[in-house]
Amino acid sequence: MAASPRIAFTGPSSIPAKFASPRRSLLLQSFSPAVGRGLLSRSSVLSSGFKSDGAAYISGVRTHVAAVEQAVTVEAQKMEAPVVIITGASRGIGKAIALTLGKAGCKVLVNYARSSKEAEEVSKEIEAFGGQAITFGGDVSKEADVESMIKTAVDAWGTVDILVNNAGITRDTLLMRMKKTQWQEVIDLNLTGVFLCTQAAAKIMLKKKKGRIINIASVVGLVGNAGQANYSAAKAGVIGFTKTVAKEYASRNINVNAVAPGFIASDMTAKLGEDFEKKILEIIPLGRYGQPEEIAGLVEFLALNPASSYITGQVLTIDGGMVMRKETVLDRGYCLISERFRLGAFLIDCVARAFSVTYLFGYFVIFRNWSPKYRPDASSCFISLFHGSPAVFLAVAAILNQPVRGFASPNTNFQNLVLDFSIGYFTVDLLHYLILIPGDYLFIAHHLATLFVFVTCRYLVVHGAFSILVLLVLAEVTSACQNVWTLAGLRKADLPIAARIHKNLSPPFYGLYTIMRGFIGPVFFYKMSAYYLSGKASNVIPIWVSAAWIVVVGGAILVSIMWISNLWMQFFKDENVEKKDS
């Protein structure tokens, strides 16, 4: 849908028949005849009084008339350039709209809430095109800020011709976890802000009997979306609001329409996990994200093109064909969740079966001649050998292959695979303790807490795998050494070679363990805890989940430090005893 290059704001009364005459021509026609008649009549009087050099003088007067006419035309164009207010115009769709309308010759007020630097850059870009722009920092959910914003535009340019309600926020989470503040913040800005801005701007438009209002809604206002009850409700409200206001203001020549974008390329979509992005693109017939400039082109058509003057009260979806499918985003959301559980459960089942077979093989074959007292621990160490080092290599690879790494980044397919692998292992090892060593409460509690962290990260919040996998690497990098050390320790009393291995392996194992869990682990834990407790991740990882992670990880690190400290003290004690004996 191509947008018009015209710069003049036009209502239905100013549309030429069959759109035959360009708007620029109309401007010239409306201003040049009166100027021409007055100056040319004056020139005829002058020429009759000075006949001796009349031809030369008349030529000079005509040159002067042309210059004045050109100056008047330029001023007329400046006066007629539409004044546009765009809320939330410092980045994303709002920025694209501001730049597009600025290039088209509009005078643009760039509203922002916090991104003052970005708003100034948008304003400078518009001025670089030869346009006019000013910035205004204000919260459109506050009536005083809205009134001040409208006054700023009127003081600068005398009127408001076009309003684009674009400002919006998200506070996504499932309804059962949504706090009232998360609900209210979205409703206040995304819906109440539209009401306040429209009411304030309409007061000016009603007096002129001319205006255009474009509200940026969303396809989720039409079809809903899991995890966006607040956002969907606000955008559905904007759609209903648009239709009502369009009916109220139609008689005053004010057009009110809504644009409902689908998935548009942005910083947010760039951070989506690759598995989720793939599923999203599958439900978009065009197979790609939309671009902010495409939204801006539609807004320009509705705001400036004379052909849009007969359009009002409409919701124009620009979504690559997404909502025309019978399967909605909500349906796909449920499919994604169920598919995630099915595939995860299948993988965990396979891993658990493999570790169970490995455990039984160790118990009944490899360690069949060991004392019944040691066989369970030995078999546990045996399956740990097949989990620890592989988990480290897989986790490191998954972290390095993550496009955007952060404490609240969405999980990738690879990261989920590693989590499923570890869930399968810890499930089997937990069963080992529950069945064969039910009195080992510390390890049972450790495994239950670890499984809680892995399962919530993998299946509940689907974010934060970066944090969990880094901790997994720090915990398991010593696994191979620790398991060999443990197996040797079980037989050191009756096998001299086992005693030598245990003794020689103790210092390097203790040292590596101390570095990982006594120094690097606590530093990473501190950074992770500070990030989660700041609330920066609360939109994707609920506070109760991140707080539970902090308690579990902090407790595990504390126990590890106490355990390795006791081993070091015992080691030095044994060394002193040997020295005395020698």
Side-chain angles (χ1 to χ4, degrees):
M1 189 178 290
S4 169
R6 299 167 178 80
I7 64 168
F9 176 81
T10 59
S13 60
S14 63
I15 301 175
K18 299 181 181 179
F19 306 104
S21 303
R23 184 61 181 155
R24 292 185 187 273
S25 299
L26 288 176
L27 287 172
L28 291 172
Q29 291 168 10
S30 63
F31 282 91
S32 61
V35 176
R37 283 196 299 272
L39 292 174
L40 288 175
S41 61
R42 179 185 175 194
S43 67
S44 63
V45 173
L46 291 172
S47 63
S48 62
F50 299 95
K51 294 179 181 179
S52 59
D53 54 352
Y57 193 82
I58 288 173
S59 177
V61 171
R62 285 176 175 170
T63 301
H64 179 68
V65 168
V68 172
E69 183 179 17
Q70 183 178 4
V72 171
T73 300
V74 171
E75 288 302 315
Q77 289 176 326
K78 288 183 179 180
M79 290 173 62
E80 290 290 324
V83 175
V84 185
I85 292 178
I86 305 171
T87 64
S90 62
R91 53 187 176 182
I93 292 174
K95 175 182 178 180
I97 294 171
L99 294 177
T100 298
L101 296 184
K103 288 180 182 178
C106 296
K107 300 171 182 175
V108 182
L109 183 146
V110 179
N111 163 256
Y112 66 92
R114 291 176 295 275
S115 307
S116 59
K117 182 179 179 181
E118 290 85 347
E120 289 293 340
E121 291 174 356
V122 173
S123 179
K124 289 178 182 178
E125 282 192 57
I126 293 172
E127 291 171 351
F129 301 141
Q132 299 181 54
I134 55 176
T135 60
F136 179 87
D139 183 351
V140 296
S141 68
K142 297 179 180 178
E143 189 172 3
D145 285 8
V146 171
E147 294 292 345
S148 179
M149 178 176 68
I150 299 296
K151 185 178 184 300
T152 299
V154 172
D155 289 346
W157 296 312
T159 189
V160 175
D161 295 303
I162 303 165
L163 170 67
V164 180
N165 285 309
N166 172 74
I169 58 172
T170 57
R171 296 289 184 267
D172 297 348
T173 187
L174 294 174
L175 181 63
M176 64 182 294
R177 298 205 304 262
M178 186 176 292
K179 299 177 181 178
K180 185 180 178 182
T181 54
Q182 293 174 309
W183 169 271
Q184 201 61 52
E185 286 174 5
V186 173
I187 297 296
D188 286 347
L189 185 62
N190 296 15
L191 183 56
T192 305
V194 174
F195 158 73
L196 292 173
C197 292
T198 300
Q199 190 179 61
K203 293 177 182 178
I204 299 170
M205 296 178 183
L206 286 168
K207 293 178 182 178
K208 302 191 307 172
K209 295 186 177 181
K210 182 174 68 173
R212 301 281 175 93
I213 299 173
I214 299 109
N215 298 321
I216 306 301
S218 170
V219 293
V220 302
L222 297 170
V223 300
N225 194 28
Q228 291 190 308
N230 47 7
Y231 189 77
S232 299
K235 293 304 183 180
V238 168
I239 290 171
F241 177 82
T242 299
K243 294 177 180 291
T244 299
V245 175
K247 289 182 177 180
E248 291 183 8
Y249 292 165
S251 63
R252 305 306 290 268
N253 195 26
I254 299 174
N255 299 58
V256 186
N257 292 289
V259 173
F263 284 99
I264 306 301
S266 64
D267 293 340
M268 184 179 70
T269 57
K271 295 179 181 179
L272 291 175
E274 57 187 52
D275 56 336
F276 196 69
E277 179 175 334
K278 181 180 178 181
K279 297 298 181 182
I280 289 173
L281 296 180
E282 285 179 1
I283 64 173
I284 302 174
L286 289 183
R288 66 174 178 84
Y289 292 133
Q291 297 298 320
E293 291 74 19
E294 293 173 309
I295 309 301
L298 178 55
V299 171
E300 182 187 11
F301 171 79
L302 293 172
L304 302 179
N305 198 308
S308 69
S309 61
Y310 201 54
I311 302 174
T312 193
Q314 301 303 306
V315 180
L316 291 92
T317 57
I318 178 166
D319 61 357
M322 185 171 69
V323 297
M324 72 179 178
R325 294 174 63 107
K326 292 182 180 179
E327 182 183 43
T328 65
V329 178
L330 182 59
D331 296 330
R332 175 59 71 171
Y334 284 127
C335 290
L336 281 173
I337 293 172
S338 61
E339 182 182 4
R340 183 185 303 149
F341 274 98
R342 286 199 305 270
L343 293 176
F346 175 75
L347 180 58
I348 290 172
D349 180 63
C350 292
V351 172
R353 287 172 184 268
F355 278 118
S356 298
V357 171
T358 304
Y359 181 92
L360 294 174
F361 180 75
Y363 190 90
F364 290 107
V365 178
I366 297 179
F367 305 112
R368 66 182 183 277
N369 295 324
W370 286 36
S371 167
K373 178 181 177 181
Y374 298 138
R375 284 170 71 185
D377 282 336
S379 300
S380 177
C381 289
F382 185 59
I383 63 170
S384 182
L385 285 169
F386 289 94
H387 168 259
S389 297
V392 169
F393 288 116
L394 289 171
V396 170
I399 292 169
L400 294 178
N401 280 280
Q402 188 176 20
V404 180
R405 290 187 287 275
F407 293 116
S409 299
N411 302 354
T412 64
N413 282 337
F414 197 172
Q415 290 175 330
N416 287 334
L417 182 147
V418 180
L419 290 172
D420 285 334
F421 176 70
S422 291
I423 290 171
Y425 160 73
F426 278 103
T427 301
V428 172
D429 207 38
L430 175 63
L431 290 175
H432 144 76
Y433 281 103
L434 290 174
I435 296 171
L436 298 176
I437 318 177
D440 199 336
Y441 302 119
L442 182 61
F443 267 93
I444 290 173
H446 169 269
H447 280 35
L448 286 172
T450 302
L451 283 170
F452 167 81
V453 173
F454 286 158
V455 170
T456 52
C457 177
R458 171 68 173 92
Y459 294 102
L460 183 62
V461 298
V462 203
H463 287 72
F466 168 77
S467 304
I468 306 307
L469 293 187
V470 169
L471 292 169
L472 179 65
V473 170
L474 295 176
E476 296 295 339
V477 73
T478 59
S479 176
C481 186
Q482 181 175 353
N483 284 307
V484 173
W485 174 84
T486 302
L487 289 171
L490 294 174
R491 299 298 303 272
K492 67 179 181 179
D494 56 317
L495 288 176
I497 188 172
R500 286 196 297 272
I501 292 174
H502 186 269
K503 180 180 179 182
N504 294 331
L505 204 54
S506 291
F509 164 56
Y510 295 171
L512 182 60
Y513 194 97
T514 301
I515 292 171
M516 292 297 139
R517 302 204 190 191
F519 294 99
I520 298 178
V523 171
F524 183 83
F525 171 70
Y526 170 77
K527 292 181 178 180
M528 182 190 81
S529 301
Y531 184 86
Y532 289 146
L533 293 177
S534 70
K536 294 178 181 178
S538 59
N539 288 342
V540 292
I541 303 176
I543 290 294
W544 71 268
V545 173
S546 58
W549 291 358
I550 290 170
V551 170
V552 169
V553 175
I557 290 176
L558 181 60
V559 171
S560 296
I561 292 174
M562 293 172 61
W563 183 70
I564 196 65
S565 298
N566 286 331
L567 288 178
W568 275 117
M569 287 189 289
Q570 185 62 45
F571 175 79
F572 288 120
K573 182 180 178 180
D574 292 342
E575 287 289 307
N576 290 332
V577 170
E578 286 186 10
K579 287 181 180 179
K580 290 180 180 179
D581 292 342
S582 62

